[in-house]
Amino acid sequence: MKNKLSEKIKETVAFLNENGVKDPDTGIILGSGLNGYADRIKDPVIFSYDDIPNMQSGMVADHRSQMVFGEYLGKKVLVMAGRFHYYESRDMEKASYPARVMVALGVKRFIITNAAGCVNRDLGKGKLMLISDHINYSGDNPLMGPNLDEYGPRFPDMTYTYSKELRDALKEKAAAEGIELCEGVYMMFTGPSFETPAEIRFARVIGADAVGMSTVPEAIIAGHAGREVIGISFLSNLAAGILDQAVTGEEVMEAAEGIKDTFARVLDLAIGIQKI
Ligand code: HPA
């Protein structure tokens, strides 16, 4: 029996190859409020997700649902501006499909970004956090179903998903420019409701430093295929119950607007790291 997912990926990859996407080495997935970064690529090839076979377009208002490919900082960079979240359809295959396509296109380094709620009070709102590890609390996994052996094993290791070597190198480069990067564990809740204060206390107890509704599906797909992953969370708000006030989508977007230049600089540095 033909594996349908595998066929779909091949169809998408063939379309992108035919339309100028060749051998991307770096894949960047932009989170809420950060899509403007894609505009840095000069002479890009731009696709709307709607025009790419088998691709689902994101439905979150701020997200532009575009794939942008081009040369940037001496690398061939493929940017996903806008993601289709798990909460939009309860479908992990759709939520992780762009990452599947990046793997199949040959992306070696994934840079995955998000806005997240800060659970660890020692970090704080407004910080950029390198993801050192994750907790998949979605209750689902994008690798469920037949394994695509051509990309990775049935039971992939997740111990080294977020490379320490890359984190250390990125922290050092950022520090040299006066940008502080903290580090911590990202926990994925499905959303779309924000967490309750009790859920946030639970998250802290089990070891989370930040919570969000994305990134984990993509990191699992990249990790499955043994690709490098750099995960960066922007801590856009203190998670529910830390302050006696509501968490809102507006606060998240507003905060993202304020950090976007620094975030962009960190992304530039992340693209440029040479592995030692
Ligand atoms: N919770 C979940 N996802 C988020 C949050 C939050 O507090 N902030 C930004 N994304």
Side-chain angles (χ1 to χ4, degrees), residues 204-219:
R204 185 67 193 131
V205 166
I206 68 165
D209 295 296
V211 289
M213 306 172 191
S214 67
T215 301
V216 167
E218 296 128 352

Side-chain angles (χ1 to χ4, degrees), residues 175-186:
E177 299 190 8
I179 302 171
E180 189 206 338
L181 299 176
C182 58
E183 233 179 64
V185 174
Y186 176 90

Side-chain angles (χ1 to χ4, degrees), residues 115-117 194-195 211-213 236-237 239 247 252:
F194 286 115
E195 301 71 29
V211 289
M213 306 172 191
S236 56
N237 57 285
V247 177
V252 172

Side-chain angles (χ1 to χ4, degrees), residues 143-255:
L143 297 175
M144 282 193 190
N147 185 52
L148 304 191
D149 298 330
E150 64 266 48
Y151 301 119
R154 172 75 293 186
F155 301 110
D157 176 57
M158 288 280 130
T159 311
Y160 306 107
T161 307
Y162 304 91
S163 150
K164 175 157 176 15
E165 199 181 346
L166 287 172
R167 275 186 276 133
D168 287 349
L170 184 51
K171 267 199 282 190
E172 200 179 305
K173 279 196 182 201
E177 299 190 8
I179 302 171
E180 189 206 338
L181 299 176
C182 58
E183 233 179 64
V185 174
Y186 176 90
M187 180 170 178
M188 180 190 176
F189 281 76
T190 64
S193 54
F194 286 115
E195 301 71 29
T196 62
E199 285 165 346
I200 293 303
R201 289 194 296 276
F202 160 71
R204 185 67 193 131
V205 166
I206 68 165
D209 295 296
V211 289
M213 306 172 191
S214 67
T215 301
V216 167
E218 296 128 352
I220 291 175
I221 293 297
H224 175 242
R227 309 300 162 85
E228 295 175 6
V229 180
I230 298 176
I232 312 172
S233 290
F234 165 53
L235 306 182
S236 56
N237 57 285
L238 294 177
I242 292 186
L243 300 176
D244 188 9
Q245 67 182 45
V247 177
T248 66
E250 289 71 33
E251 179 185 5
V252 172
M253 295 312 290
E254 242 176 68

